[in-house]
Amino acid sequence: MGMTPAAVSERFALYRDPHPTRVASFAEDVRAGFRERPYTLSPRYFYDDLGSALFEAICRLPEYYLTRIESDLLATYGSQIAAAFDETLEIVELGSGSALKTRILIDAILARQAQLTYHPIDISPDALIESSHALLGAHAAVRIVAYASDYFTLLRERRLHTQDRVLALFLGSNVGNFEPAQARELFTLLASALEPGDGLLVGYDLKKEPSVLELAYDDPTGVTAAFNKNLLGRINRELGGNFDLDAFSFFARYHDDIGAVRSYLRADRPQTVTIPAAGITVELAAGETIHTESSYKFSQEEMTERLAGCGFGERRTFVDAGGRYALGLFVAT
Ligand code: AVJ
């Protein structure tokens, strides 16, 4: 059950899933989310063109330290990460996006080997093609085998075409968006797709004072508020909804019991919203909330323990001087 390379050049192959498992549509997910209490929207829908631009702006906010520290850690420790493996490395990246940070690591690996095959996996074929072209232009020694797929499906069906020692990347604190059971499933699938001795580099946000976390997710400039309100804007644009974005306030709260920042939109006054393409009418009481995202935080011990339960041993964890963010290097056992 293979995928067929849809676009092939000497240095670039793009595999598209021939039978994509049907994922629920935006309308279906919106309808399901408004059947729950609290009302819930999936963070997956943040990233249309406007949302992706707003996320890039978030990454430049002084309060959102995650992206900056991760890039610094990759620049500082990239050569040590590469040197942790004796064999020729290939990179597999889960959710590669624009792959800008990955280039730092690619440079470090190419200081030790002449060629590198990079396997980015992303749900968006457009993002894969764009980032691949940029990367191929910048690096003559890189070959790309890209997969336009959901990574759960790809790993479950064992469709990765790797040959050498693999270093898998799961960066950007993306692990934080998964509920613990989903994260466990993903790491277990990944472990079974890898060979013993293959590596896994996970970028994750460390637990810290709630005030610092809450500022990172509710910045005074209001960029994160706009990023969250764009979910309502998207429902208006794509599903014909009539949300009044001015009638909502945004807030983010760190929940110590679960170890996650939860983000919410709150109705400032009672309102009735119709969403024609989802076939629903939603009643919101004054003060009623819509949960938009959970961003889990971990201690180094927690991440190491979780991954040990999924078939990965800790090799080394790199933390910034402020103890805010971690890059955990693990080896499949
Ligand atoms: C892209 C999921 C890592 O949870 O930190 C940033 C998204 N949300 N600000 C995160 C996000 C609000 C981000 N991740």
Side-chain angles (χ1 to χ4, degrees):
M1 118 107 52
M3 296 197 292
T4 38
V8 185
S9 77
E10 221 173 293
R11 292 168 54 218
F12 181 51
L14 172 64
Y15 289 92
R16 287 175 198 258
D17 195 335
H19 310 291
T21 32
R22 203 183 161 285
V23 276
S25 69
F26 185 31
E28 286 168 333
D29 277 346
V30 167
R31 193 185 309 126
F34 281 112
R35 276 197 296 261
E36 287 175 47
R37 294 300 157 97
Y39 293 147
T40 303
L41 292 169
S42 168
R44 178 179 326 137
Y45 297 108
F46 280 140
Y47 304 95
D48 65 346
D49 281 350
L50 177 56
S52 299
L54 287 166
F55 179 65
E56 278 174 32
I58 286 174
C59 294
R60 292 166 203 225
L61 290 168
E63 295 83 9
Y64 193 76
Y65 53 84
L66 291 76
T67 316
R68 247 184 327 275
I69 298 182
E70 186 175 71
S71 295
D72 289 349
L73 288 172
L74 286 168
T76 306
Y77 298 111
S79 51
Q80 291 184 45
I81 292 164
F85 301 88
D86 296 327
E87 308 92 334
T88 303
L89 280 177
E90 294 189 358
I91 291 181
V92 170
E93 183 162 22
L94 308 182
S96 49
S98 70
L100 282 178
K101 281 175 289 189
T102 316
R103 291 198 198 186
I104 306 172
L105 206 58
I106 288 176
D107 287 331
I109 294 172
L110 283 174
R112 304 171 46 87
Q113 62 189 58
Q115 302 274 324
L116 172 69
T117 306
Y118 173 47
H119 305 255
I121 309 169
D122 204 282
I123 198 81
S124 158
D126 293 342
L128 279 173
I129 291 169
E130 210 179 298
S131 63
S132 295
H133 275 289
L135 189 60
L136 290 171
H139 282 286
V142 172
R143 197 171 75 92
I144 297 180
V145 182
Y147 308 82
S149 176
D150 166 69
Y151 38 75
F152 282 87
T153 312
L154 186 94
L155 293 172
R156 207 174 280 129
E157 301 187 355
R158 299 186 146 271
R159 296 214 204 98
L160 272 177
H161 295 257
T162 55
Q163 282 171 329
D164 297 323
R165 181 56 80 212
V166 171
L167 175 59
L169 307 181
F170 194 29
L171 298 176
S173 189
N174 286 330
V175 62
N177 263 181
F178 289 95
E179 292 303 319
Q182 292 176 300
R184 191 184 163 77
E185 186 192 353
L186 180 60
F187 286 132
T188 305
L189 277 172
L190 182 61
S192 66
L194 298 177
E195 301 286 339
D198 285 346
L200 166 64
L201 188 67
V202 184
Y204 61 95
D205 197 19
L206 291 163
K207 286 185 169 167
K208 58 181 68 65
E209 312 86 87
S211 59
V212 175
L213 290 169
E214 288 174 356
L215 261 184
Y217 286 87
D218 189 0
D219 64 276
T221 313
V223 180
T224 310
F227 176 69
N228 278 262
K229 283 190 179 189
N230 180 49
L231 275 176
L232 305 184
R234 245 194 115 168
I235 292 174
N236 289 353
R237 292 190 295 274
E238 295 178 29
L239 306 178
N242 63 347
F243 277 105
D244 176 0
L245 274 58
D246 285 334
F248 286 85
S249 312
F250 171 72
F251 69 99
R253 187 135 311 147
Y254 181 65
H255 295 261
D256 200 37
D257 50 341
I258 59 165
V261 174
R262 283 195 173 157
S263 299
Y264 301 90
L265 292 165
R266 180 178 45 219
D268 296 330
R269 48 176 169 74
Q271 47 201 292
T272 304
V273 179
T274 58
I275 309 175
I280 54 172
T281 298
V282 179
E283 303 282 351
L284 291 120
E288 187 156 13
T289 58
I290 304 173
H291 175 212
T292 53
E293 185 174 38
S294 294
S295 301
Y296 281 87
K297 310 299 163 189
F298 308 89
S299 67
Q300 184 180 333
E301 295 69 33
E302 279 169 342
M303 185 56 78
T304 299
E305 197 186 324
R306 271 157 195 274
L307 278 167
C310 301
F312 291 97
E314 186 187 34
R315 180 71 173 267
R316 220 184 131 180
T317 293
F318 305 97
V319 176
D320 65 297
R324 286 181 290 178
Y325 194 89
L327 272 181
L329 180 59
F330 299 86
V331 175
T333 48

